[in-house]
């Protein structure tokens, strides 16, 4: 019933969504594709506060070493990173977008200048030391992924408006003790 209601109410509006090049350019100006390399100091999911503190201490020491070192970042990645996948490529994780990166990582990288190194960015994977190696222009961006991101944003707005309207029509009680 729920799915049928949503399909009936929102289906026609969602099918009418159009994404223009101008909308894609506007979205891309705030959400460019970035190329980064990183050193990851990992801690496992469910790590104790002591394990997280130990990883942070190690990450801080590595970041201090990276700032002082005359060695190329790629060499330091091979010495220190826990990310086996990117380690062989000098920490390079390729071109990524806001959609494909962890928010804290993307936010930190998007504020950087190409060639800049920034440290101790925490994510669910651990602590990162990031080097921004590229910022892709709109002309070279992955247009399919970009169009999908703008479409998703428009679709989300339609759903949010629908549920906000429903909230005004019905009395809703939250059982906060049931939400974890």
């Amino acid at each position: 019933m729920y799915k049928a209601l949503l399909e009936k109410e929102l289906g026609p509006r969602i099918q009418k969504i159009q994404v223009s090049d101008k909308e894609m350019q506007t979205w891309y100006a705030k959400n460019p594709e970035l190329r980064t390399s990183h050193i990851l100091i990992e801690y496992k999911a469910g790590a104790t506060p002591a394990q997280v503190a130990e990883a942070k201490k190690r990450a801080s020491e590595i970041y201090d070493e990276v700032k002082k070192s005359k060695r190329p970042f790629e060499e330091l990645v091979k010495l220190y990173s826990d990310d086996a996948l990117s380690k062989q490529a000098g920490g390079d994780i390729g071109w990524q977008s806001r959609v494909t990166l962890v928010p804290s990582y993307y936010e930190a990288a998007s504020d950087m200048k190409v060639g800049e190194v920034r440290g101790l960015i925490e994510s669910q994977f651990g602590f990162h030391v990031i080097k921004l190696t590229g910022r892709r222009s709109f002309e070279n961006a992955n247009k399919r992924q970009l169009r999908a991101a703008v479409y998703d944003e428009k679709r989300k707005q339609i759903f949010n408006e629908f549920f906000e309207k429903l909230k005004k029509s019905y009395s809703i009680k939250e059982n906060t003790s049931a939400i974890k």
Side-chain angles (χ1 to χ4, degrees), residues 11 14 37 50 70 88 90 103 111-112 114 117 125-126 128 134-135 137 140 145 148 152 154-155:
I14 298 221
S37 294
K70 301 281 186 236
Q88 298 311 309
D111 290 341
M112 296 168 62
V114 174
V117 175
F125 305 108
H128 305 264
R135 186 179 300 270
S137 68
N140 298 320
Q145 188 179 56
D152 285 347
K154 287 180 156 192
R155 185 181 61 198

mmCIF file with all atom_site columns, all heavy atoms in Angstrom, residues 11 14 37 50 70 88 90 103 111-112 114 117 125-126 128 134-135 137 140 145 148 152 154-155:
data_model
loop_
_atom_site.group_PDB
_atom_site.id
_atom_site.type_symbol
_atom_site.label_atom_id
_atom_site.label_alt_id
_atom_site.label_comp_id
_atom_site.label_asym_id
_atom_site.label_entity_id
_atom_site.label_seq_id
_atom_site.pdbx_PDB_ins_code
_atom_site.Cartn_x
_atom_site.Cartn_y
_atom_site.Cartn_z
_atom_site.occupancy
_atom_site.B_iso_or_equiv
_atom_site.pdbx_formal_charge
_atom_site.auth_seq_id
_atom_site.auth_comp_id
_atom_site.auth_asym_id
_atom_site.auth_atom_id
_atom_site.pdbx_PDB_model_num
ATOM 1   N N   . GLY A 1 11  ? 4.987  9.487  -8.593  1.00 0.00 ? 11  GLY A N   1
ATOM 2   C CA  . GLY A 1 11  ? 5.475  8.942  -9.859  1.00 0.00 ? 11  GLY A CA  1
ATOM 3   C C   . GLY A 1 11  ? 5.450  9.923  -11.015 1.00 0.00 ? 11  GLY A C   1
ATOM 4   O O   . GLY A 1 11  ? 6.480  10.155 -11.661 1.00 0.00 ? 11  GLY A O   1
ATOM 5   N N   . ILE A 1 14  ? 8.036  12.694 -10.577 1.00 0.00 ? 14  ILE A N   1
ATOM 6   C CA  . ILE A 1 14  ? 9.411  12.212 -10.703 1.00 0.00 ? 14  ILE A CA  1
ATOM 7   C C   . ILE A 1 14  ? 9.751  11.960 -12.174 1.00 0.00 ? 14  ILE A C   1
ATOM 8   O O   . ILE A 1 14  ? 10.845 12.259 -12.613 1.00 0.00 ? 14  ILE A O   1
ATOM 9   C CB  . ILE A 1 14  ? 9.608  10.949 -9.834  1.00 0.00 ? 14  ILE A CB  1
ATOM 10  C CG1 . ILE A 1 14  ? 9.379  11.345 -8.401  1.00 0.00 ? 14  ILE A CG1 1
ATOM 11  C CG2 . ILE A 1 14  ? 10.925 10.272 -10.119 1.00 0.00 ? 14  ILE A CG2 1
ATOM 12  C CD1 . ILE A 1 14  ? 10.179 10.876 -7.324  1.00 0.00 ? 14  ILE A CD1 1
ATOM 13  N N   . SER A 1 37  ? 45.468 11.767 -3.174  1.00 0.00 ? 37  SER A N   1
ATOM 14  C CA  . SER A 1 37  ? 46.251 10.643 -2.687  1.00 0.00 ? 37  SER A CA  1
ATOM 15  C C   . SER A 1 37  ? 46.157 10.715 -1.175  1.00 0.00 ? 37  SER A C   1
ATOM 16  O O   . SER A 1 37  ? 45.977 11.800 -0.613  1.00 0.00 ? 37  SER A O   1
ATOM 17  C CB  . SER A 1 37  ? 47.706 10.755 -3.121  1.00 0.00 ? 37  SER A CB  1
ATOM 18  O OG  . SER A 1 37  ? 47.809 10.643 -4.516  1.00 0.00 ? 37  SER A OG  1
ATOM 19  N N   . ALA A 1 50  ? 40.501 3.611  23.314  1.00 0.00 ? 50  ALA A N   1
ATOM 20  C CA  . ALA A 1 50  ? 41.961 3.496  23.421  1.00 0.00 ? 50  ALA A CA  1
ATOM 21  C C   . ALA A 1 50  ? 42.580 3.162  22.066  1.00 0.00 ? 50  ALA A C   1
ATOM 22  O O   . ALA A 1 50  ? 43.638 3.703  21.704  1.00 0.00 ? 50  ALA A O   1
ATOM 23  C CB  . ALA A 1 50  ? 42.332 2.430  24.454  1.00 0.00 ? 50  ALA A CB  1
ATOM 24  N N   . LYS A 1 70  ? 61.480 15.623 3.098   1.00 0.00 ? 70  LYS A N   1
ATOM 25  C CA  . LYS A 1 70  ? 61.820 16.077 1.743   1.00 0.00 ? 70  LYS A CA  1
ATOM 26  C C   . LYS A 1 70  ? 61.471 14.993 0.728   1.00 0.00 ? 70  LYS A C   1
ATOM 27  O O   . LYS A 1 70  ? 61.567 15.191 -0.464  1.00 0.00 ? 70  LYS A O   1
ATOM 28  C CB  . LYS A 1 70  ? 63.318 16.402 1.649   1.00 0.00 ? 70  LYS A CB  1
ATOM 29  C CG  . LYS A 1 70  ? 63.774 17.477 2.607   1.00 0.00 ? 70  LYS A CG  1
ATOM 30  C CD  . LYS A 1 70  ? 63.419 18.851 2.105   1.00 0.00 ? 70  LYS A CD  1
ATOM 31  C CE  . LYS A 1 70  ? 64.003 19.922 2.985   1.00 0.00 ? 70  LYS A CE  1
ATOM 32  N NZ  . LYS A 1 70  ? 63.034 20.843 3.499   1.00 0.00 ? 70  LYS A NZ  1
ATOM 33  N N   . GLN A 1 88  ? 49.969 0.825  -3.451  1.00 0.00 ? 88  GLN A N   1
ATOM 34  C CA  . GLN A 1 88  ? 50.813 0.519  -4.613  1.00 0.00 ? 88  GLN A CA  1
ATOM 35  C C   . GLN A 1 88  ? 50.809 1.643  -5.641  1.00 0.00 ? 88  GLN A C   1
ATOM 36  O O   . GLN A 1 88  ? 51.721 1.761  -6.444  1.00 0.00 ? 88  GLN A O   1
ATOM 37  C CB  . GLN A 1 88  ? 50.370 -0.800 -5.263  1.00 0.00 ? 88  GLN A CB  1
ATOM 38  C CG  . GLN A 1 88  ? 50.500 -2.002 -4.345  1.00 0.00 ? 88  GLN A CG  1
ATOM 39  C CD  . GLN A 1 88  ? 51.865 -2.090 -3.670  1.00 0.00 ? 88  GLN A CD  1
ATOM 40  O OE1 . GLN A 1 88  ? 52.902 -2.022 -4.318  1.00 0.00 ? 88  GLN A OE1 1
ATOM 41  N NE2 . GLN A 1 88  ? 51.866 -2.211 -2.345  1.00 0.00 ? 88  GLN A NE2 1
ATOM 42  N N   . GLY A 1 90  ? 50.886 4.830  -4.853  1.00 0.00 ? 90  GLY A N   1
ATOM 43  C CA  . GLY A 1 90  ? 51.350 6.031  -4.175  1.00 0.00 ? 90  GLY A CA  1
ATOM 44  C C   . GLY A 1 90  ? 50.253 6.761  -3.439  1.00 0.00 ? 90  GLY A C   1
ATOM 45  O O   . GLY A 1 90  ? 50.330 7.963  -3.211  1.00 0.00 ? 90  GLY A O   1
ATOM 46  N N   . PRO A 1 103 ? 31.872 12.051 3.372   1.00 0.00 ? 103 PRO A N   1
ATOM 47  C CA  . PRO A 1 103 ? 31.707 13.512 3.500   1.00 0.00 ? 103 PRO A CA  1
ATOM 48  C C   . PRO A 1 103 ? 32.873 14.249 4.158   1.00 0.00 ? 103 PRO A C   1
ATOM 49  O O   . PRO A 1 103 ? 33.305 15.286 3.647   1.00 0.00 ? 103 PRO A O   1
ATOM 50  C CB  . PRO A 1 103 ? 30.426 13.656 4.326   1.00 0.00 ? 103 PRO A CB  1
ATOM 51  C CG  . PRO A 1 103 ? 29.641 12.415 4.002   1.00 0.00 ? 103 PRO A CG  1
ATOM 52  C CD  . PRO A 1 103 ? 30.678 11.329 3.832   1.00 0.00 ? 103 PRO A CD  1
ATOM 53  N N   . ASP A 1 111 ? 38.376 21.994 0.060   1.00 0.00 ? 111 ASP A N   1
ATOM 54  C CA  . ASP A 1 111 ? 38.886 23.290 0.532   1.00 0.00 ? 111 ASP A CA  1
ATOM 55  C C   . ASP A 1 111 ? 40.377 23.473 0.268   1.00 0.00 ? 111 ASP A C   1
ATOM 56  O O   . ASP A 1 111 ? 40.935 24.520 0.588   1.00 0.00 ? 111 ASP A O   1
ATOM 57  C CB  . ASP A 1 111 ? 38.647 23.434 2.045   1.00 0.00 ? 111 ASP A CB  1
ATOM 58  C CG  . ASP A 1 111 ? 37.186 23.607 2.387   1.00 0.00 ? 111 ASP A CG  1
ATOM 59  O OD1 . ASP A 1 111 ? 36.400 23.977 1.488   1.00 0.00 ? 111 ASP A OD1 1
ATOM 60  O OD2 . ASP A 1 111 ? 36.827 23.368 3.552   1.00 0.00 ? 111 ASP A OD2 1
ATOM 61  N N   . MET A 1 112 ? 41.023 22.462 -0.303  1.00 0.00 ? 112 MET A N   1
ATOM 62  C CA  . MET A 1 112 ? 42.471 22.502 -0.488  1.00 0.00 ? 112 MET A CA  1
ATOM 63  C C   . MET A 1 112 ? 42.860 23.039 -1.869  1.00 0.00 ? 112 MET A C   1
ATOM 64  O O   . MET A 1 112 ? 42.071 23.032 -2.795  1.00 0.00 ? 112 MET A O   1
ATOM 65  C CB  . MET A 1 112 ? 43.045 21.088 -0.302  1.00 0.00 ? 112 MET A CB  1
ATOM 66  C CG  . MET A 1 112 ? 42.875 20.533 1.094   1.00 0.00 ? 112 MET A CG  1
ATOM 67  S SD  . MET A 1 112 ? 43.217 18.762 1.242   1.00 0.00 ? 112 MET A SD  1
ATOM 68  C CE  . MET A 1 112 ? 44.930 18.677 0.784   1.00 0.00 ? 112 MET A CE  1
ATOM 69  N N   . VAL A 1 114 ? 45.554 22.521 -5.115  1.00 0.00 ? 114 VAL A N   1
ATOM 70  C CA  . VAL A 1 114 ? 46.274 21.407 -5.726  1.00 0.00 ? 114 VAL A CA  1
ATOM 71  C C   . VAL A 1 114 ? 47.715 21.425 -5.214  1.00 0.00 ? 114 VAL A C   1
ATOM 72  O O   . VAL A 1 114 ? 48.374 22.459 -5.204  1.00 0.00 ? 114 VAL A O   1
ATOM 73  C CB  . VAL A 1 114 ? 46.221 21.481 -7.269  1.00 0.00 ? 114 VAL A CB  1
ATOM 74  C CG1 . VAL A 1 114 ? 47.099 20.412 -7.894  1.00 0.00 ? 114 VAL A CG1 1
ATOM 75  C CG2 . VAL A 1 114 ? 44.785 21.318 -7.757  1.00 0.00 ? 114 VAL A CG2 1
ATOM 76  N N   . VAL A 1 117 ? 48.890 19.461 1.248   1.00 0.00 ? 117 VAL A N   1
ATOM 77  C CA  . VAL A 1 117 ? 48.731 18.271 2.083   1.00 0.00 ? 117 VAL A CA  1
ATOM 78  C C   . VAL A 1 117 ? 48.056 18.710 3.372   1.00 0.00 ? 117 VAL A C   1
ATOM 79  O O   . VAL A 1 117 ? 48.426 19.714 3.969   1.00 0.00 ? 117 VAL A O   1
ATOM 80  C CB  . VAL A 1 117 ? 50.093 17.612 2.401   1.00 0.00 ? 117 VAL A CB  1
ATOM 81  C CG1 . VAL A 1 117 ? 49.931 16.445 3.358   1.00 0.00 ? 117 VAL A CG1 1
ATOM 82  C CG2 . VAL A 1 117 ? 50.780 17.155 1.111   1.00 0.00 ? 117 VAL A CG2 1
ATOM 83  N N   . PHE A 1 125 ? 36.875 4.878  8.392   1.00 0.00 ? 125 PHE A N   1
ATOM 84  C CA  . PHE A 1 125 ? 37.972 3.964  8.076   1.00 0.00 ? 125 PHE A CA  1
ATOM 85  C C   . PHE A 1 125 ? 39.203 4.217  8.934   1.00 0.00 ? 125 PHE A C   1
ATOM 86  O O   . PHE A 1 125 ? 40.076 3.367  9.037   1.00 0.00 ? 125 PHE A O   1
ATOM 87  C CB  . PHE A 1 125 ? 38.348 4.076  6.602   1.00 0.00 ? 125 PHE A CB  1
ATOM 88  C CG  . PHE A 1 125 ? 37.175 3.844  5.686   1.00 0.00 ? 125 PHE A CG  1
ATOM 89  C CD1 . PHE A 1 125 ? 36.610 4.894  4.986   1.00 0.00 ? 125 PHE A CD1 1
ATOM 90  C CD2 . PHE A 1 125 ? 36.619 2.581  5.550   1.00 0.00 ? 125 PHE A CD2 1
ATOM 91  C CE1 . PHE A 1 125 ? 35.517 4.691  4.160   1.00 0.00 ? 125 PHE A CE1 1
ATOM 92  C CE2 . PHE A 1 125 ? 35.525 2.368  4.725   1.00 0.00 ? 125 PHE A CE2 1
ATOM 93  C CZ  . PHE A 1 125 ? 34.967 3.429  4.027   1.00 0.00 ? 125 PHE A CZ  1
ATOM 94  N N   . GLY A 1 126 ? 39.297 5.422  9.501   1.00 0.00 ? 126 GLY A N   1
ATOM 95  C CA  . GLY A 1 126 ? 40.461 5.776  10.293  1.00 0.00 ? 126 GLY A CA  1
ATOM 96  C C   . GLY A 1 126 ? 40.808 7.236  10.084  1.00 0.00 ? 126 GLY A C   1
ATOM 97  O O   . GLY A 1 126 ? 39.940 8.070  9.825   1.00 0.00 ? 126 GLY A O   1
ATOM 98  N N   . HIS A 1 128 ? 43.112 10.081 7.939   1.00 0.00 ? 128 HIS A N   1
ATOM 99  C CA  . HIS A 1 128 ? 43.731 10.270 6.626   1.00 0.00 ? 128 HIS A CA  1
ATOM 100 C C   . HIS A 1 128 ? 44.661 11.473 6.652   1.00 0.00 ? 128 HIS A C   1
ATOM 101 O O   . HIS A 1 128 ? 44.361 12.485 7.277   1.00 0.00 ? 128 HIS A O   1
ATOM 102 C CB  . HIS A 1 128 ? 42.671 10.563 5.552   1.00 0.00 ? 128 HIS A CB  1
ATOM 103 C CG  . HIS A 1 128 ? 41.596 9.535  5.455   1.00 0.00 ? 128 HIS A CG  1
ATOM 104 N ND1 . HIS A 1 128 ? 41.623 8.508  4.543   1.00 0.00 ? 128 HIS A ND1 1
ATOM 105 C CD2 . HIS A 1 128 ? 40.443 9.385  6.144   1.00 0.00 ? 128 HIS A CD2 1
ATOM 106 C CE1 . HIS A 1 128 ? 40.533 7.769  4.670   1.00 0.00 ? 128 HIS A CE1 1
ATOM 107 N NE2 . HIS A 1 128 ? 39.803 8.282  5.656   1.00 0.00 ? 128 HIS A NE2 1
ATOM 108 N N   . GLY A 1 134 ? 44.539 16.979 -7.975  1.00 0.00 ? 134 GLY A N   1
ATOM 109 C CA  . GLY A 1 134 ? 43.856 17.507 -9.150  1.00 0.00 ? 134 GLY A CA  1
ATOM 110 C C   . GLY A 1 134 ? 42.445 17.950 -8.852  1.00 0.00 ? 134 GLY A C   1
ATOM 111 O O   . GLY A 1 134 ? 41.815 17.470 -7.918  1.00 0.00 ? 134 GLY A O   1
ATOM 112 N N   . ARG A 1 135 ? 41.973 18.888 -9.663  1.00 0.00 ? 135 ARG A N   1
ATOM 113 C CA  . ARG A 1 135 ? 40.595 19.384 -9.586  1.00 0.00 ? 135 ARG A CA  1
ATOM 114 C C   . ARG A 1 135 ? 40.117 19.440 -11.033 1.00 0.00 ? 135 ARG A C   1
ATOM 115 O O   . ARG A 1 135 ? 40.623 20.203 -11.831 1.00 0.00 ? 135 ARG A O   1
ATOM 116 C CB  . ARG A 1 135 ? 40.578 20.761 -8.940  1.00 0.00 ? 135 ARG A CB  1
ATOM 117 C CG  . ARG A 1 135 ? 39.209 21.323 -8.667  1.00 0.00 ? 135 ARG A CG  1
ATOM 118 C CD  . ARG A 1 135 ? 39.309 22.700 -7.992  1.00 0.00 ? 135 ARG A CD  1
ATOM 119 N NE  . ARG A 1 135 ? 40.016 22.666 -6.722  1.00 0.00 ? 135 ARG A NE  1
ATOM 120 C CZ  . ARG A 1 135 ? 39.431 22.456 -5.540  1.00 0.00 ? 135 ARG A CZ  1
ATOM 121 N NH1 . ARG A 1 135 ? 38.141 22.278 -5.472  1.00 0.00 ? 135 ARG A NH1 1
ATOM 122 N NH2 . ARG A 1 135 ? 40.134 22.442 -4.426  1.00 0.00 ? 135 ARG A NH2 1
ATOM 123 N N   . SER A 1 137 ? 37.901 20.109 -14.346 1.00 0.00 ? 137 SER A N   1
ATOM 124 C CA  . SER A 1 137 ? 37.013 21.165 -14.846 1.00 0.00 ? 137 SER A CA  1
ATOM 125 C C   . SER A 1 137 ? 35.663 20.556 -15.230 1.00 0.00 ? 137 SER A C   1
ATOM 126 O O   . SER A 1 137 ? 35.564 19.357 -15.476 1.00 0.00 ? 137 SER A O   1
ATOM 127 C CB  . SER A 1 137 ? 37.635 21.841 -16.068 1.00 0.00 ? 137 SER A CB  1
ATOM 128 O OG  . SER A 1 137 ? 37.663 20.934 -17.150 1.00 0.00 ? 137 SER A OG  1
ATOM 129 N N   . ASN A 1 140 ? 35.503 18.448 -18.408 1.00 0.00 ? 140 ASN A N   1
ATOM 130 C CA  . ASN A 1 140 ? 36.054 17.087 -18.351 1.00 0.00 ? 140 ASN A CA  1
ATOM 131 C C   . ASN A 1 140 ? 35.365 16.190 -17.329 1.00 0.00 ? 140 ASN A C   1
ATOM 132 O O   . ASN A 1 140 ? 35.775 15.059 -17.128 1.00 0.00 ? 140 ASN A O   1
ATOM 133 C CB  . ASN A 1 140 ? 37.551 17.146 -18.045 1.00 0.00 ? 140 ASN A CB  1
ATOM 134 C CG  . ASN A 1 140 ? 38.316 17.865 -19.131 1.00 0.00 ? 140 ASN A CG  1
ATOM 135 O OD1 . ASN A 1 140 ? 38.028 17.696 -20.314 1.00 0.00 ? 140 ASN A OD1 1
ATOM 136 N ND2 . ASN A 1 140 ? 39.252 18.706 -18.746 1.00 0.00 ? 140 ASN A ND2 1
ATOM 137 N N   . GLN A 1 145 ? 27.443 10.760 -14.264 1.00 0.00 ? 145 GLN A N   1
ATOM 138 C CA  . GLN A 1 145 ? 27.394 10.767 -12.800 1.00 0.00 ? 145 GLN A CA  1
ATOM 139 C C   . GLN A 1 145 ? 26.849 12.107 -12.287 1.00 0.00 ? 145 GLN A C   1
ATOM 140 O O   . GLN A 1 145 ? 26.059 12.153 -11.346 1.00 0.00 ? 145 GLN A O   1
ATOM 141 C CB  . GLN A 1 145 ? 28.797 10.520 -12.241 1.00 0.00 ? 145 GLN A CB  1
ATOM 142 C CG  . GLN A 1 145 ? 28.825 10.327 -10.744 1.00 0.00 ? 145 GLN A CG  1
ATOM 143 C CD  . GLN A 1 145 ? 30.227 10.059 -10.255 1.00 0.00 ? 145 GLN A CD  1
ATOM 144 O OE1 . GLN A 1 145 ? 31.120 10.853 -10.493 1.00 0.00 ? 145 GLN A OE1 1
ATOM 145 N NE2 . GLN A 1 145 ? 30.405 8.948  -9.579  1.00 0.00 ? 145 GLN A NE2 1
ATOM 146 N N   . ALA A 1 148 ? 23.085 12.289 -12.808 1.00 0.00 ? 148 ALA A N   1
ATOM 147 C CA  . ALA A 1 148 ? 22.427 11.436 -11.810 1.00 0.00 ? 148 ALA A CA  1
ATOM 148 C C   . ALA A 1 148 ? 22.382 12.130 -10.444 1.00 0.00 ? 148 ALA A C   1
ATOM 149 O O   . ALA A 1 148 ? 21.380 12.049 -9.731  1.00 0.00 ? 148 ALA A O   1
ATOM 150 C CB  . ALA A 1 148 ? 23.140 10.094 -11.703 1.00 0.00 ? 148 ALA A CB  1
ATOM 151 N N   . ASP A 1 152 ? 18.993 13.042 -8.553  1.00 0.00 ? 152 ASP A N   1
ATOM 152 C CA  . ASP A 1 152 ? 18.731 12.539 -7.202  1.00 0.00 ? 152 ASP A CA  1
ATOM 153 C C   . ASP A 1 152 ? 18.368 13.669 -6.242  1.00 0.00 ? 152 ASP A C   1
ATOM 154 O O   . ASP A 1 152 ? 17.493 13.521 -5.395  1.00 0.00 ? 152 ASP A O   1
ATOM 155 C CB  . ASP A 1 152 ? 19.942 11.781 -6.657  1.00 0.00 ? 152 ASP A CB  1
ATOM 156 C CG  . ASP A 1 152 ? 20.105 10.414 -7.281  1.00 0.00 ? 152 ASP A CG  1
ATOM 157 O OD1 . ASP A 1 152 ? 19.158 9.934  -7.954  1.00 0.00 ? 152 ASP A OD1 1
ATOM 158 O OD2 . ASP A 1 152 ? 21.191 9.811  -7.126  1.00 0.00 ? 152 ASP A OD2 1
ATOM 159 N N   . LYS A 1 154 ? 16.937 16.530 -7.027  1.00 0.00 ? 154 LYS A N   1
ATOM 160 C CA  . LYS A 1 154 ? 15.581 16.992 -7.365  1.00 0.00 ? 154 LYS A CA  1
ATOM 161 C C   . LYS A 1 154 ? 14.529 15.998 -6.866  1.00 0.00 ? 154 LYS A C   1
ATOM 162 O O   . LYS A 1 154 ? 13.491 16.393 -6.355  1.00 0.00 ? 154 LYS A O   1
ATOM 163 C CB  . LYS A 1 154 ? 15.444 17.186 -8.880  1.00 0.00 ? 154 LYS A CB  1
ATOM 164 C CG  . LYS A 1 154 ? 16.168 18.397 -9.402  1.00 0.00 ? 154 LYS A CG  1
ATOM 165 C CD  . LYS A 1 154 ? 15.979 18.491 -10.902 1.00 0.00 ? 154 LYS A CD  1
ATOM 166 C CE  . LYS A 1 154 ? 16.147 19.896 -11.389 1.00 0.00 ? 154 LYS A CE  1
ATOM 167 N NZ  . LYS A 1 154 ? 15.691 20.070 -12.761 1.00 0.00 ? 154 LYS A NZ  1
ATOM 168 N N   . ARG A 1 155 ? 14.816 14.711 -7.022  1.00 0.00 ? 155 ARG A N   1
ATOM 169 C CA  . ARG A 1 155 ? 13.888 13.681 -6.560  1.00 0.00 ? 155 ARG A CA  1
ATOM 170 C C   . ARG A 1 155 ? 13.737 13.742 -5.044  1.00 0.00 ? 155 ARG A C   1
ATOM 171 O O   . ARG A 1 155 ? 12.630 13.663 -4.509  1.00 0.00 ? 155 ARG A O   1
ATOM 172 C CB  . ARG A 1 155 ? 14.373 12.294 -7.005  1.00 0.00 ? 155 ARG A CB  1
ATOM 173 C CG  . ARG A 1 155 ? 13.377 11.183 -6.647  1.00 0.00 ? 155 ARG A CG  1
ATOM 174 C CD  . ARG A 1 155 ? 13.869 9.839  -7.072  1.00 0.00 ? 155 ARG A CD  1
ATOM 175 N NE  . ARG A 1 155 ? 15.112 9.576  -6.366  1.00 0.00 ? 155 ARG A NE  1
ATOM 176 C CZ  . ARG A 1 155 ? 15.996 8.664  -6.730  1.00 0.00 ? 155 ARG A CZ  1
ATOM 177 N NH1 . ARG A 1 155 ? 15.793 7.922  -7.785  1.00 0.00 ? 155 ARG A NH1 1
ATOM 178 N NH2 . ARG A 1 155 ? 17.100 8.476  -6.048  1.00 0.00 ? 155 ARG A NH2 1
#
